[in-house]
Amino acid sequence: MNILIIGSGGREHAMAWKLAEEPNIDRVYVSPGNGGTGLEEKCENVPLPGDLREEKTQEALMEIARNIHAGITVIGPEAPLEAGLVDRFRDNGLPIIGPNRAASRLETSKSYAKSFMEKYGVRTSRSRFFTGYEAALGYAENYFKDTLGIPTGIRSEGSPPGGGDPAGVTSAGAPLVIKADGLAAGKGVVIALTIEEAEASLRSFMKEGRLGKAGKTVVMEEFVEGREVSVLAAVSVSPKRAPFMLPFISARDHKRRFDGGSGPNTGGMGAIAPAPDFFGAAQQDFAARILAPTLRGMEQEGMDYRGFIFFGLMIRENHCYLLEYNARLGDPETQAVLPLMDSNFSDLCLAILENRLDRFPLMWKKGAVCAPVAVAGEIPGFPGYPGPYRNGNPIRVDRERLIHAGARLFAAGTAYAGKGEEMLTAGGRVLAVSAWGADGEEARRRAYEGLAAVSFEGMAFRTDIGRG
Ligand code: GLY
């Protein structure tokens, strides 16, 4: 069987690598792919034929899927979901993994996602959404007064969603989370510590239109303090089928740029799987308070969701709060989770499409995988990711040293220069090095040994991925 993957990140490289290793897979095509997918055995990059939001590009992608006889097409990122690529493939009888456009609103509209959580009792923090700047600002002002102990507003409004808040999630001086409603390429979430910061963000999103349409509506929610955990899952929900969801092993992404969780937010500086502290009671709470009501809601809303889902959780005293859904696999979580998967990823995709998830024997390797990310850091004239950075730097990889460490490289922001050629940097998050270990510490040691086999001008990374 041949596979078509849509996307160009580290997640897509991890999928391509995993699929290419499976005996029933002949070739893996990645559109557009990156410097790493082009070099992988059995893999081939296919240029993206245009802007995915345009009908003619979607038609051209279907033509590619037909020409390569793709048994399955797998969508990596969220933008093609929002563009309705799944709907078009399905309407034309082509097998594709992903939710349709309406179901992908669980990620592409934060206000829709919050309303869904509240309607179906998925435990989450209290929130409100606003389409008008003045009302949003008034809410933010009340929030900061209220969390400083002045009982003027929001906490007395209505009952907490999700059936209660056993510990109380907001404390005096707690930050306010401001989220742009639509997709904003990682720039749509602000954790405001003061009313001044909140006001600046609201003005920039709602009045100045810095994020375009995506920021015209905002969701504001209470900040939940705790430990972040990501859970990915395979989902098979569509009308007239018994709904089913199969969760993966957990993971933890480290989103802040610098060690110890300081500095600006990024798309993810590295991941470890499983999350070292997500077991027992917390897992049971997740199953009962997050997963089960989500699945019930998907069924009752009549969704067509045959793909993957990402639960972004905050764990507080073994109680799980859902921060967000993503309608796809996480990045960089996938680079840590897929190397632990002992089952064939292609078989899992077929089980989703053929409604056999309830009987699918999903197996995991023992041990842990750590995947730190290398980013385009500071060089003269460029502050470095997540700020402006320079592309086009050659990436040197000592393959023997990488293999000796037991590590592998998943490329992300890289350009393909041809088989046997060096990759060039072409993005902020350049690559991840992923390594297995009998436990988290061994996985960390090997991954960082592997990372030492890679270099490019301005290369920067966190040294504490998988810790804490
Ligand atoms: N790691 C978070 C995400 O994939 O959105």
Side-chain angles (χ1 to χ4, degrees), residues 170-236:
T170 306
S171 54
L176 174 63
V177 183
I178 302 177
K179 292 180 175 172
D181 187 51
L183 295 180
K187 296 189 166 56
V189 180
V190 172
I191 298 171
L193 298 174
T194 61
I195 182 60
E196 289 74 24
E197 282 177 18
E199 187 178 358
S201 302
L202 291 173
R203 196 176 336 103
S204 135
F205 288 1
M206 303 183 87
K207 282 189 117 170
E208 294 161 7
R210 185 164 64 85
L211 301 175
K213 225 175 90 202
K216 290 295 176 189
T217 297
V218 297
V219 173
M220 284 190 275
E221 66 186 30
E222 291 175 313
F223 179 77
V224 185
E225 193 145 3
R227 292 170 284 116
E228 266 190 83
V229 170
S230 309
V231 180
L232 316 177
V235 185
S236 177

Side-chain angles (χ1 to χ4, degrees), residues 236-255:
S236 177
V237 175
S238 58
K240 301 196 196 114
R241 291 164 155 222
F244 202 79
M245 200 181 284
L246 193 54
F248 292 2
I249 205 157
S250 66
R252 170 163 295 138
D253 176 13
H254 299 255
K255 291 214 177 67

Side-chain angles (χ1 to χ4, degrees), residues 11 78 107 230 232 253-255 266-268 310 324 326 328-334 429:
R11 165 188 46 215
E78 59 279 17
E107 171 166 7
S230 309
L232 316 177
D253 176 13
H254 299 255
K255 291 214 177 67
T266 69
F310 169 115
E324 63 173 358
N326 290 324
R328 51 172 172 81
L329 293 179
D331 188 333
E333 288 88 339
T334 303
R429 287 194 301 157

Side-chain angles (χ1 to χ4, degrees), residues 286-327:
F286 165 72
R289 305 304 301 267
I290 310 284
L291 188 148
T294 298
L295 189 59
R296 190 167 57 245
M298 287 175 154
E299 185 186 17
Q300 287 183 18
E301 295 293 313
M303 285 185 183
D304 178 357
Y305 202 124
R306 286 171 264 173
F308 299 106
I309 193 164
F310 169 115
F311 296 94
L313 305 173
M314 194 63 88
I315 317 296
R316 190 184 159 91
E317 294 165 10
N318 285 334
H319 289 98
C320 299
Y321 291 81
L322 183 64
L323 301 183
E324 63 173 358
Y325 294 113
N326 290 324

Side-chain angles (χ1 to χ4, degrees), residues 367-413:
V369 170
C370 182
V373 167
V375 301
E378 186 179 354
I379 54 175
F382 296 89
Y385 178 81
Y389 51 82
R390 195 182 71 194
N391 285 331
N393 299 316
I395 302 169
R396 290 167 294 274
V397 182
D398 181 339
R399 299 262 161 211
E400 266 179 37
R401 196 167 167 195
L402 194 67
I403 291 165
H404 188 255
R408 68 174 54 86
L409 185 156
F410 291 132

